[in-house]
Every structure is written in structure tokens, then in C-alpha cells.
Amino acid sequence: MKVKVGEFKAHLSKYLRQLRESKEPIEVCMREEPVAYLTAAKDPELSDGEKRAELQRDLAEAGLALTRHGLPDGGPTGFLPRPVRAGDTRTDLETVRRMREEKPY
């Protein structure tokens, strides 16, 4: 379902009821451009481990990974894109160095 921001704001309760009943995501648009997607909440009966596993699956489908940013104290959880290896097998630093050499500054 697609709805404009003003309409969504004015009738929020109505759209939330429709979302709960139909489970169809709502695409909120500003000047015909999508700015947000609202989806139904997941099953509240799932355990924390099951919720985390489900979230990781959903993120993986979107090309993201749930991480701890490598902090030993288990710091803030964040979302990082999955690393993609370059096709030319160069390291990141080597790639940046070569790109800078190629650019006529």
C-alpha cells in the first residue's frame, strides 16, 4: 500500500489497524518518492535468540550484517554492509593507493 506523508499522519490509527489486519507493508511517500516502509511487527512469542536469528536472516537478505563493532564490552549493536571482495584481489589500502595514483589532481 502506498500513502503520502500527510495522509499517513492524518489517519495514522486507520493505517496501523489495516497493517495489523492485512500484514501488507505500507510505503510512505513524500512527493511520490518513498521515504519509509512500515511493516507488521514480528511474532511477540519468539524468544530473544529466535528474534535475533530472524533479524540476522532478514538483514542478510538485504545485504547487511548485525555486528558488535568488535567491542570487547559488547558495545552498541550496529548494522554494517557485508564485506565484498574486489574482483582484482587487491587489498583495500592497495586499491585506494592505486585509485589515487590514477586520479589527476
Side-chain angles (χ1 to χ4, degrees), residues 28-82:
V28 182
C29 299
M30 186 178 293
R31 296 189 182 111
E32 302 301 322
E33 292 291 321
V35 293
Y37 295 94
L38 187 64
T39 61
K42 302 293 182 182
D43 185 0
E45 299 299 316
L46 296 176
S47 70
D48 286 342
E50 291 169 325
K51 287 178 187 176
R52 185 175 179 87
E54 189 172 340
L55 176 61
Q56 286 176 327
R57 278 192 306 275
D58 292 346
L59 289 171
E61 287 176 15
L64 298 171
L66 184 63
T67 66
R68 288 284 194 188
H69 297 296
L71 299 176
D73 63 353
T77 301
F79 303 102
L80 297 177
R82 287 193 179 281

